[in-house]
Amino acid sequence: MIRIGLGWDLHRLVPLRRFLLAGVELEADRGELGHSDGDVLAHAVIDAVLGAAALGDIGTLFPPSDPKWKDADSMELLRLAFSKVKEQGWRLSNLDCVVTCERPKLIPYRERIRAALAAALDVGPEVIFIKGKTAEGLGPIGEGAAVEAEAVCLLER
Ligand SMILES: [Zn+2]
């Protein structure tokens, strides 16, 4: 059986926060605002794998109202979420993602991001891909006030 999952997330970008994508810190003058560490890509991937297995979503598993998740390491949340997916017998076939922000450029970090996601999801980096896009200066993402991530995954069992 195969199942497709889709995840999406957006975070504000503000000064004095780290800019994290799948736990990899990018050099930037702004970072993601969030109750957790704000890792927009980790959050989109969590929703994609949970959605494919119909096991809920990031908000139900890790409610922002729970102080336990304040400043949480989102890659740890991804490992926790994916362990629930694995318990149901699923394994990841592939994961494809888009991250949209005006800066920084994602390309220099892409291989590290792929490796970080691969390690958290029990696969090799060859089944994971990340594309960096800009919003062409339009809207809040184009103005550098936000970053958005989308993730699509395929699970098999
Ligand atoms: Zn988020």
Side-chain angles (χ1 to χ4, degrees), residues 25-91:
E25 185 166 353
L26 283 66
E27 210 179 296
D29 57 358
R30 289 170 165 222
E32 297 131 322
L33 186 64
H35 182 70
S36 66
D37 61 13
D39 191 326
V40 69
L41 179 58
H43 296 175
V45 173
I46 288 170
D47 269 351
V49 295
L50 287 176
L55 287 172
D57 61 31
I58 188 170
T60 51
L61 248 65
F62 313 109
S65 54
D66 187 340
K68 189 175 170 187
W69 309 119
K70 172 134 176 64
D71 299 323
D73 173 351
S74 295
M75 289 303 279
E76 187 53 37
L77 303 186
L78 174 57
R79 282 185 283 272
L80 280 169
F82 195 63
S83 70
K84 293 187 183 300
V85 173
K86 280 190 294 189
E87 274 169 22
Q88 303 292 316
W90 297 107
R91 65 181 179 80

Short mmCIF file of all heavy atoms in Angstrom, two decimals, residues 25-91:
data_model
loop_
_atom_site.label_atom_id
_atom_site.label_comp_id
_atom_site.label_asym_id
_atom_site.label_seq_id
_atom_site.Cartn_x
_atom_site.Cartn_y
_atom_site.Cartn_z
N GLU A 25 21.37 25.40 10.68
CA GLU A 25 21.26 26.85 10.85
C GLU A 25 21.88 27.57 9.66
O GLU A 25 23.04 27.35 9.31
CB GLU A 25 21.95 27.28 12.15
CG GLU A 25 21.75 28.77 12.39
CD GLU A 25 22.11 29.22 13.80
OE1 GLU A 25 22.40 28.36 14.65
OE2 GLU A 25 22.09 30.44 14.03
N LEU A 26 21.08 28.43 9.02
CA LEU A 26 21.55 29.21 7.88
C LEU A 26 22.00 30.58 8.38
O LEU A 26 21.42 31.13 9.31
CB LEU A 26 20.42 29.40 6.85
CG LEU A 26 20.10 28.20 5.94
CD1 LEU A 26 19.53 27.03 6.70
CD2 LEU A 26 19.14 28.61 4.83
N GLU A 27 23.02 31.12 7.73
CA GLU A 27 23.49 32.44 8.11
C GLU A 27 22.49 33.47 7.58
O GLU A 27 22.27 33.55 6.36
CB GLU A 27 24.87 32.68 7.51
CG GLU A 27 25.72 33.61 8.34
CD GLU A 27 27.09 33.79 7.72
OE1 GLU A 27 27.83 32.79 7.64
OE2 GLU A 27 27.39 34.92 7.32
N ALA A 28 21.87 34.23 8.48
CA ALA A 28 20.83 35.19 8.08
C ALA A 28 20.69 36.27 9.14
O ALA A 28 21.04 36.05 10.30
CB ALA A 28 19.50 34.47 7.90
N ASP A 29 20.17 37.44 8.74
CA ASP A 29 19.99 38.53 9.71
C ASP A 29 18.66 38.41 10.45
O ASP A 29 18.38 39.18 11.36
CB ASP A 29 20.14 39.90 9.05
CG ASP A 29 19.16 40.11 7.90
OD1 ASP A 29 18.39 39.16 7.58
OD2 ASP A 29 19.16 41.21 7.32
N ARG A 30 17.82 37.47 10.04
CA ARG A 30 16.55 37.22 10.71
C ARG A 30 16.35 35.72 10.84
O ARG A 30 16.96 34.95 10.09
CB ARG A 30 15.38 37.78 9.89
CG ARG A 30 15.33 39.28 9.87
CD ARG A 30 14.31 39.76 8.85
NE ARG A 30 14.02 41.16 9.10
CZ ARG A 30 12.81 41.70 9.05
NH1 ARG A 30 11.77 40.96 8.71
NH2 ARG A 30 12.62 42.97 9.30
N GLY A 31 15.47 35.35 11.76
CA GLY A 31 15.16 33.93 11.91
C GLY A 31 13.68 33.74 12.19
O GLY A 31 12.92 34.70 12.32
N GLU A 32 13.29 32.47 12.29
CA GLU A 32 11.87 32.14 12.41
C GLU A 32 11.36 32.37 13.83
O GLU A 32 11.91 31.87 14.80
CB GLU A 32 11.66 30.67 12.04
CG GLU A 32 12.02 30.32 10.61
CD GLU A 32 12.90 29.10 10.51
OE1 GLU A 32 13.78 28.94 11.40
OE2 GLU A 32 12.71 28.31 9.57
N LEU A 33 10.24 33.10 13.89
CA LEU A 33 9.54 33.28 15.16
C LEU A 33 8.63 32.07 15.36
O LEU A 33 8.00 31.59 14.41
CB LEU A 33 8.70 34.56 15.10
CG LEU A 33 7.99 34.98 16.39
CD1 LEU A 33 9.00 35.34 17.48
CD2 LEU A 33 7.09 36.19 16.11
N GLY A 34 8.59 31.55 16.59
CA GLY A 34 7.71 30.41 16.85
C GLY A 34 7.75 30.01 18.30
O GLY A 34 8.66 30.40 19.03
N HIS A 35 6.75 29.25 18.70
CA HIS A 35 6.70 28.74 20.08
C HIS A 35 7.84 27.74 20.28
O HIS A 35 8.52 27.73 21.30
CB HIS A 35 5.34 28.08 20.32
CG HIS A 35 5.17 27.56 21.70
ND1 HIS A 35 5.05 28.40 22.79
CD2 HIS A 35 5.12 26.31 22.20
CE1 HIS A 35 4.93 27.68 23.88
NE2 HIS A 35 4.96 26.40 23.55
N SER A 36 8.03 26.88 19.27
CA SER A 36 9.18 25.98 19.28
C SER A 36 10.36 26.77 18.70
O SER A 36 10.35 27.99 18.72
CB SER A 36 8.88 24.76 18.40
OG SER A 36 8.75 25.17 17.05
N ASP A 37 11.34 26.07 18.14
CA ASP A 37 12.46 26.78 17.51
C ASP A 37 12.06 27.40 16.16
O ASP A 37 12.84 28.09 15.54
CB ASP A 37 13.68 25.85 17.36
CG ASP A 37 13.39 24.64 16.49
OD1 ASP A 37 12.36 24.61 15.79
OD2 ASP A 37 14.21 23.69 16.52
N GLY A 38 10.83 27.12 15.70
CA GLY A 38 10.31 27.77 14.50
C GLY A 38 10.77 27.16 13.18
O GLY A 38 10.57 27.76 12.13
N ASP A 39 11.33 25.98 13.23
CA ASP A 39 11.90 25.33 12.04
C ASP A 39 10.80 24.97 11.03
O ASP A 39 10.16 23.93 11.11
CB ASP A 39 12.64 24.07 12.50
CG ASP A 39 13.50 23.44 11.42
OD1 ASP A 39 13.11 23.50 10.23
OD2 ASP A 39 14.54 22.87 11.77
N VAL A 40 10.60 25.87 10.06
CA VAL A 40 9.46 25.78 9.15
C VAL A 40 9.49 24.49 8.31
O VAL A 40 8.43 23.90 8.04
CB VAL A 40 9.41 27.05 8.26
CG1 VAL A 40 10.57 27.08 7.27
CG2 VAL A 40 8.10 27.21 7.54
N LEU A 41 10.68 24.07 7.90
CA LEU A 41 10.77 22.87 7.06
C LEU A 41 10.48 21.61 7.88
O LEU A 41 9.73 20.73 7.43
CB LEU A 41 12.15 22.79 6.40
CG LEU A 41 12.40 21.57 5.51
CD1 LEU A 41 11.37 21.48 4.37
CD2 LEU A 41 13.82 21.62 4.93
N ALA A 42 11.04 21.54 9.08
CA ALA A 42 10.76 20.38 9.94
C ALA A 42 9.26 20.27 10.18
O ALA A 42 8.69 19.17 10.15
CB ALA A 42 11.51 20.51 11.27
N HIS A 43 8.59 21.42 10.40
CA HIS A 43 7.15 21.39 10.68
C HIS A 43 6.35 20.91 9.47
O HIS A 43 5.40 20.12 9.61
CB HIS A 43 6.67 22.78 11.11
CG HIS A 43 7.28 23.24 12.40
ND1 HIS A 43 7.06 24.49 12.93
CD2 HIS A 43 8.11 22.59 13.26
CE1 HIS A 43 7.73 24.61 14.07
NE2 HIS A 43 8.38 23.47 14.29
N ALA A 44 6.71 21.36 8.27
CA ALA A 44 5.99 20.91 7.07
C ALA A 44 6.19 19.41 6.87
O ALA A 44 5.25 18.69 6.50
CB ALA A 44 6.48 21.70 5.85
N VAL A 45 7.40 18.93 7.14
CA VAL A 45 7.67 17.49 6.96
C VAL A 45 6.91 16.67 8.00
O VAL A 45 6.38 15.59 7.67
CB VAL A 45 9.20 17.22 7.02
CG1 VAL A 45 9.47 15.72 7.01
CG2 VAL A 45 9.90 17.90 5.85
N ILE A 46 6.82 17.16 9.23
CA ILE A 46 6.05 16.46 10.26
C ILE A 46 4.60 16.29 9.78
O ILE A 46 4.03 15.20 9.86
CB ILE A 46 6.09 17.23 11.60
CG1 ILE A 46 7.47 17.12 12.24
CG2 ILE A 46 5.01 16.70 12.56
CD1 ILE A 46 7.68 18.04 13.45
N ASP A 47 4.00 17.37 9.27
CA ASP A 47 2.61 17.27 8.82
C ASP A 47 2.47 16.35 7.60
O ASP A 47 1.46 15.68 7.46
CB ASP A 47 2.05 18.66 8.53
CG ASP A 47 1.37 19.27 9.75
OD1 ASP A 47 1.19 18.56 10.77
OD2 ASP A 47 1.02 20.46 9.69
N ALA A 48 3.47 16.32 6.75
CA ALA A 48 3.39 15.44 5.58
C ALA A 48 3.41 13.97 6.00
O ALA A 48 2.56 13.18 5.54
CB ALA A 48 4.56 15.73 4.62
N VAL A 49 4.33 13.59 6.88
CA VAL A 49 4.42 12.16 7.26
C VAL A 49 3.24 11.74 8.13
O VAL A 49 2.71 10.64 7.99
CB VAL A 49 5.77 11.79 7.92
CG1 VAL A 49 6.92 11.97 6.93
CG2 VAL A 49 6.04 12.57 9.19
N LEU A 50 2.81 12.65 9.03
CA LEU A 50 1.63 12.33 9.87
C LEU A 50 0.38 12.23 9.01
O LEU A 50 -0.45 11.33 9.19
CB LEU A 50 1.43 13.39 10.95
CG LEU A 50 2.42 13.40 12.11
CD1 LEU A 50 2.12 14.59 13.02
CD2 LEU A 50 2.37 12.10 12.91
N GLY A 51 0.25 13.15 8.05
CA GLY A 51 -0.94 13.16 7.20
C GLY A 51 -1.02 11.92 6.33
O GLY A 51 -2.10 11.34 6.16
N ALA A 52 0.10 11.48 5.78
CA ALA A 52 0.11 10.29 4.94
C ALA A 52 -0.37 9.07 5.72
O ALA A 52 -1.06 8.21 5.19
CB ALA A 52 1.51 10.05 4.38
N ALA A 53 -0.01 9.01 7.00
CA ALA A 53 -0.40 7.87 7.83
C ALA A 53 -1.72 8.13 8.57
O ALA A 53 -2.18 7.28 9.34
CB ALA A 53 0.71 7.56 8.84
N ALA A 54 -2.33 9.31 8.33
CA ALA A 54 -3.58 9.71 9.00
C ALA A 54 -3.45 9.59 10.52
O ALA A 54 -4.31 9.03 11.19
CB ALA A 54 -4.77 8.90 8.48
N LEU A 55 -2.35 10.13 11.06
CA LEU A 55 -2.08 10.03 12.50
C LEU A 55 -2.18 11.38 13.20
O LEU A 55 -1.60 11.58 14.26
CB LEU A 55 -0.69 9.43 12.72
CG LEU A 55 -0.56 7.93 12.44
CD1 LEU A 55 0.90 7.50 12.51
CD2 LEU A 55 -1.40 7.12 13.42
N GLY A 56 -2.92 12.32 12.59
CA GLY A 56 -3.06 13.63 13.22
C GLY A 56 -2.17 14.65 12.56
O GLY A 56 -1.71 14.46 11.43
N ASP A 57 -1.91 15.74 13.28
CA ASP A 57 -1.03 16.77 12.72
C ASP A 57 -0.16 17.34 13.84
O ASP A 57 -0.31 16.97 15.01
CB ASP A 57 -1.82 17.86 11.99
CG ASP A 57 -2.79 18.58 12.89
OD1 ASP A 57 -2.52 18.72 14.11
OD2 ASP A 57 -3.84 19.02 12.39
N ILE A 58 0.72 18.24 13.46
CA ILE A 58 1.70 18.75 14.43
C ILE A 58 1.03 19.45 15.60
O ILE A 58 1.46 19.33 16.74
CB ILE A 58 2.72 19.67 13.70
CG1 ILE A 58 3.88 20.06 14.63
CG2 ILE A 58 2.05 20.91 13.12
CD1 ILE A 58 5.02 20.76 13.92
N GLY A 59 -0.09 20.13 15.33
CA GLY A 59 -0.79 20.87 16.39
C GLY A 59 -1.45 19.96 17.42
O GLY A 59 -1.56 20.32 18.59
N THR A 60 -1.89 18.78 16.99
CA THR A 60 -2.53 17.87 17.94
C THR A 60 -1.48 17.06 18.71
O THR A 60 -1.66 16.76 19.88
CB THR A 60 -3.51 16.91 17.24
OG1 THR A 60 -2.86 16.27 16.15
CG2 THR A 60 -4.73 17.64 16.72
N LEU A 61 -0.37 16.72 18.04
CA LEU A 61 0.67 15.95 18.72
C LEU A 61 1.48 16.82 19.68
O LEU A 61 1.87 16.37 20.76
CB LEU A 61 1.61 15.32 17.70
CG LEU A 61 1.55 13.80 17.59
CD1 LEU A 61 0.20 13.37 17.07
CD2 LEU A 61 2.66 13.27 16.71
N PHE A 62 1.76 18.05 19.25
CA PHE A 62 2.61 18.95 20.04
C PHE A 62 1.92 20.30 20.18
O PHE A 62 2.33 21.28 19.58
CB PHE A 62 3.97 19.13 19.35
CG PHE A 62 4.60 17.84 18.89
CD1 PHE A 62 4.69 17.54 17.53
CD2 PHE A 62 5.10 16.93 19.80
CE1 PHE A 62 5.27 16.36 17.09
CE2 PHE A 62 5.69 15.75 19.37
CZ PHE A 62 5.77 15.45 18.01
N PRO A 63 0.83 20.38 20.98
CA PRO A 63 0.05 21.62 21.04
C PRO A 63 0.88 22.80 21.55
O PRO A 63 1.59 22.68 22.54
CB PRO A 63 -1.08 21.28 22.02
CG PRO A 63 -0.73 20.00 22.66
CD PRO A 63 0.29 19.32 21.83
N PRO A 64 0.80 23.95 20.84
CA PRO A 64 1.57 25.12 21.25
C PRO A 64 1.14 25.64 22.63
O PRO A 64 1.88 26.40 23.26
CB PRO A 64 1.30 26.17 20.16
CG PRO A 64 0.25 25.61 19.29
CD PRO A 64 0.08 24.16 19.57
N SER A 65 -0.04 25.21 23.10
CA SER A 65 -0.50 25.63 24.44
C SER A 65 0.25 24.89 25.55
O SER A 65 0.20 25.28 26.71
CB SER A 65 -2.00 25.34 24.57
OG SER A 65 -2.26 23.98 24.27
N ASP A 66 0.96 23.81 25.17
CA ASP A 66 1.68 23.01 26.16
C ASP A 66 3.10 23.57 26.34
O ASP A 66 3.89 23.56 25.40
CB ASP A 66 1.75 21.55 25.67
CG ASP A 66 2.33 20.62 26.73
OD1 ASP A 66 3.03 21.10 27.65
OD2 ASP A 66 2.11 19.41 26.61
N PRO A 67 3.42 24.08 27.55
CA PRO A 67 4.75 24.68 27.77
C PRO A 67 5.90 23.70 27.51
O PRO A 67 7.04 24.11 27.30
CB PRO A 67 4.71 25.11 29.24
CG PRO A 67 3.51 24.46 29.85
CD PRO A 67 2.57 24.11 28.74
N LYS A 68 5.57 22.41 27.50
CA LYS A 68 6.58 21.38 27.22
C LYS A 68 7.28 21.62 25.87
O LYS A 68 8.44 21.25 25.68
CB LYS A 68 5.87 20.02 27.20
CG LYS A 68 6.78 18.81 27.15
CD LYS A 68 5.95 17.54 27.27
CE LYS A 68 6.79 16.31 26.96
NZ LYS A 68 5.95 15.11 26.92
N TRP A 69 6.53 22.20 24.91
CA TRP A 69 7.08 22.34 23.55
C TRP A 69 7.68 23.71 23.30
O TRP A 69 8.08 24.02 22.20
CB TRP A 69 6.00 22.02 22.51
CG TRP A 69 5.34 20.70 22.77
CD1 TRP A 69 4.02 20.49 23.01
CD2 TRP A 69 5.98 19.41 22.83
NE1 TRP A 69 3.79 19.16 23.23
CE2 TRP A 69 4.97 18.47 23.12
CE3 TRP A 69 7.29 18.96 22.67
CZ2 TRP A 69 5.23 17.11 23.27
CZ3 TRP A 69 7.55 17.60 22.82
CH2 TRP A 69 6.54 16.70 23.11
N LYS A 70 7.74 24.57 24.37
CA LYS A 70 8.35 25.89 24.19
C LYS A 70 9.83 25.71 23.84
O LYS A 70 10.54 24.97 24.51
CB LYS A 70 8.17 26.71 25.47
CG LYS A 70 8.93 28.01 25.47
CD LYS A 70 8.06 29.17 25.97
CE LYS A 70 8.86 30.46 26.05
NZ LYS A 70 9.35 30.93 24.74
N ASP A 71 10.26 26.40 22.77
CA ASP A 71 11.65 26.33 22.29
C ASP A 71 12.08 24.89 21.96
O ASP A 71 13.27 24.57 22.00
CB ASP A 71 12.62 26.93 23.30
CG ASP A 71 12.32 28.40 23.57
OD1 ASP A 71 11.93 29.10 22.62
OD2 ASP A 71 12.45 28.84 24.73
N ALA A 72 11.10 24.03 21.65
CA ALA A 72 11.42 22.63 21.35
C ALA A 72 12.31 22.53 20.12
O ALA A 72 12.24 23.36 19.20
CB ALA A 72 10.12 21.85 21.11
N ASP A 73 13.16 21.51 20.11
CA ASP A 73 13.97 21.17 18.95
C ASP A 73 13.04 20.46 17.95
O ASP A 73 12.60 19.34 18.18
CB ASP A 73 15.11 20.25 19.40
CG ASP A 73 15.91 19.68 18.23
OD1 ASP A 73 15.51 19.85 17.06
OD2 ASP A 73 16.96 19.06 18.49
N SER A 74 12.74 21.13 16.85
CA SER A 74 11.74 20.59 15.91
C SER A 74 12.20 19.29 15.25
O SER A 74 11.37 18.49 14.83
CB SER A 74 11.41 21.62 14.85
OG SER A 74 10.78 22.74 15.46
N MET A 75 13.50 19.07 15.14
CA MET A 75 13.96 17.80 14.58
C MET A 75 13.68 16.66 15.55
O MET A 75 13.45 15.53 15.14
CB MET A 75 15.43 17.87 14.19
CG MET A 75 15.68 18.74 12.97
SD MET A 75 14.74 18.21 11.51
CE MET A 75 15.77 16.86 10.93
N GLU A 76 13.70 16.98 16.85
CA GLU A 76 13.31 15.97 17.84
C GLU A 76 11.81 15.68 17.69
O GLU A 76 11.37 14.52 17.77
CB GLU A 76 13.64 16.47 19.25
CG GLU A 76 13.45 15.45 20.36
CD GLU A 76 14.18 14.14 20.12
OE1 GLU A 76 15.31 14.16 19.58
OE2 GLU A 76 13.61 13.08 20.45
N LEU A 77 11.01 16.71 17.45
CA LEU A 77 9.58 16.52 17.21
C LEU A 77 9.36 15.67 15.96
O LEU A 77 8.47 14.80 15.94
CB LEU A 77 8.85 17.87 17.05
CG LEU A 77 8.98 18.88 18.19
CD1 LEU A 77 8.08 20.09 17.93
CD2 LEU A 77 8.65 18.26 19.54
N LEU A 78 10.17 15.89 14.93
CA LEU A 78 10.04 15.09 13.71
C LEU A 78 10.37 13.62 14.01
O LEU A 78 9.65 12.72 13.56
CB LEU A 78 10.97 15.63 12.62
CG LEU A 78 11.05 14.80 11.33
CD1 LEU A 78 9.68 14.61 10.69
CD2 LEU A 78 12.01 15.43 10.31
N ARG A 79 11.42 13.38 14.78
CA ARG A 79 11.76 11.99 15.11
C ARG A 79 10.64 11.34 15.92
O ARG A 79 10.29 10.17 15.69
CB ARG A 79 13.09 11.93 15.87
CG ARG A 79 14.31 12.08 14.95
CD ARG A 79 15.62 11.89 15.70
NE ARG A 79 15.96 13.07 16.49
CZ ARG A 79 16.66 14.10 16.03
NH1 ARG A 79 17.12 14.10 14.79
NH2 ARG A 79 16.91 15.14 16.79
N LEU A 80 10.05 12.09 16.86
CA LEU A 80 8.93 11.57 17.65
C LEU A 80 7.73 11.25 16.75
O LEU A 80 7.11 10.19 16.86
CB LEU A 80 8.52 12.59 18.71
CG LEU A 80 9.36 12.66 19.98
CD1 LEU A 80 8.99 13.90 20.79
CD2 LEU A 80 9.16 11.39 20.81
N ALA A 81 7.40 12.18 15.87
CA ALA A 81 6.25 11.99 14.97
C ALA A 81 6.50 10.80 14.05
O ALA A 81 5.61 9.95 13.85
CB ALA A 81 6.01 13.26 14.14
N PHE A 82 7.72 10.71 13.49
CA PHE A 82 7.98 9.62 12.55
C PHE A 82 8.04 8.27 13.25
O PHE A 82 7.74 7.24 12.64
CB PHE A 82 9.26 9.89 11.75
CG PHE A 82 9.39 9.01 10.54
CD1 PHE A 82 8.46 9.07 9.52
CD2 PHE A 82 10.43 8.09 10.44
CE1 PHE A 82 8.56 8.24 8.42
CE2 PHE A 82 10.53 7.25 9.35
CZ PHE A 82 9.59 7.32 8.32
N SER A 83 8.39 8.26 14.54
CA SER A 83 8.38 6.98 15.26
C SER A 83 6.95 6.44 15.34
O SER A 83 6.73 5.23 15.26
CB SER A 83 9.00 7.13 16.65
OG SER A 83 8.17 7.88 17.49
N LYS A 84 5.96 7.32 15.45
CA LYS A 84 4.56 6.88 15.44
C LYS A 84 4.17 6.32 14.08
O LYS A 84 3.42 5.34 13.99
CB LYS A 84 3.63 8.05 15.80
CG LYS A 84 3.79 8.51 17.22
CD LYS A 84 2.74 9.55 17.59
CE LYS A 84 2.96 10.07 19.00
NZ LYS A 84 2.88 9.01 20.02
N VAL A 85 4.68 6.95 13.03
CA VAL A 85 4.41 6.49 11.66
C VAL A 85 5.03 5.10 11.46
O VAL A 85 4.40 4.19 10.92
CB VAL A 85 4.98 7.51 10.65
CG1 VAL A 85 4.88 6.99 9.23
CG2 VAL A 85 4.24 8.85 10.80
N LYS A 86 6.28 4.94 11.94
CA LYS A 86 6.98 3.65 11.79
C LYS A 86 6.28 2.55 12.57
O LYS A 86 6.24 1.40 12.12
CB LYS A 86 8.43 3.78 12.29
CG LYS A 86 9.36 4.40 11.29
CD LYS A 86 10.82 4.29 11.73
CE LYS A 86 11.09 5.11 12.97
NZ LYS A 86 12.53 5.19 13.28
N GLU A 87 5.73 2.91 13.75
CA GLU A 87 5.01 1.91 14.56
C GLU A 87 3.86 1.28 13.78
O GLU A 87 3.46 0.15 14.08
CB GLU A 87 4.42 2.58 15.82
CG GLU A 87 5.37 2.67 16.98
CD GLU A 87 4.82 3.58 18.09
OE1 GLU A 87 3.59 3.79 18.13
OE2 GLU A 87 5.64 4.08 18.88
N GLN A 88 3.32 2.03 12.82
CA GLN A 88 2.21 1.51 12.01
C GLN A 88 2.71 0.73 10.79
O GLN A 88 1.92 0.37 9.92
CB GLN A 88 1.32 2.67 11.54
CG GLN A 88 0.74 3.51 12.67
CD GLN A 88 -0.27 2.77 13.51
OE1 GLN A 88 -1.13 2.09 12.98
NE2 GLN A 88 -0.16 2.88 14.83
N GLY A 89 4.02 0.51 10.73
CA GLY A 89 4.58 -0.31 9.67
C GLY A 89 4.97 0.45 8.41
O GLY A 89 5.38 -0.14 7.41
N TRP A 90 4.88 1.79 8.44
CA TRP A 90 5.21 2.58 7.25
C TRP A 90 6.70 2.86 7.17
O TRP A 90 7.36 3.04 8.18
CB TRP A 90 4.48 3.92 7.29
CG TRP A 90 3.00 3.85 7.25
CD1 TRP A 90 2.14 4.09 8.29
CD2 TRP A 90 2.19 3.52 6.13
NE1 TRP A 90 0.85 3.93 7.87
CE2 TRP A 90 0.83 3.57 6.56
CE3 TRP A 90 2.45 3.17 4.80
CZ2 TRP A 90 -0.23 3.31 5.71
CZ3 TRP A 90 1.39 2.90 3.97
CH2 TRP A 90 0.06 2.97 4.41
N ARG A 91 7.19 2.93 5.91
CA ARG A 91 8.52 3.48 5.69
C ARG A 91 8.42 4.55 4.61
O ARG A 91 7.49 4.52 3.78
CB ARG A 91 9.53 2.39 5.32
CG ARG A 91 9.25 1.72 4.01
CD ARG A 91 10.27 0.64 3.69
NE ARG A 91 9.90 0.02 2.42
CZ ARG A 91 10.16 0.55 1.24
NH1 ARG A 91 10.84 1.68 1.16
NH2 ARG A 91 9.78 -0.05 0.13
#
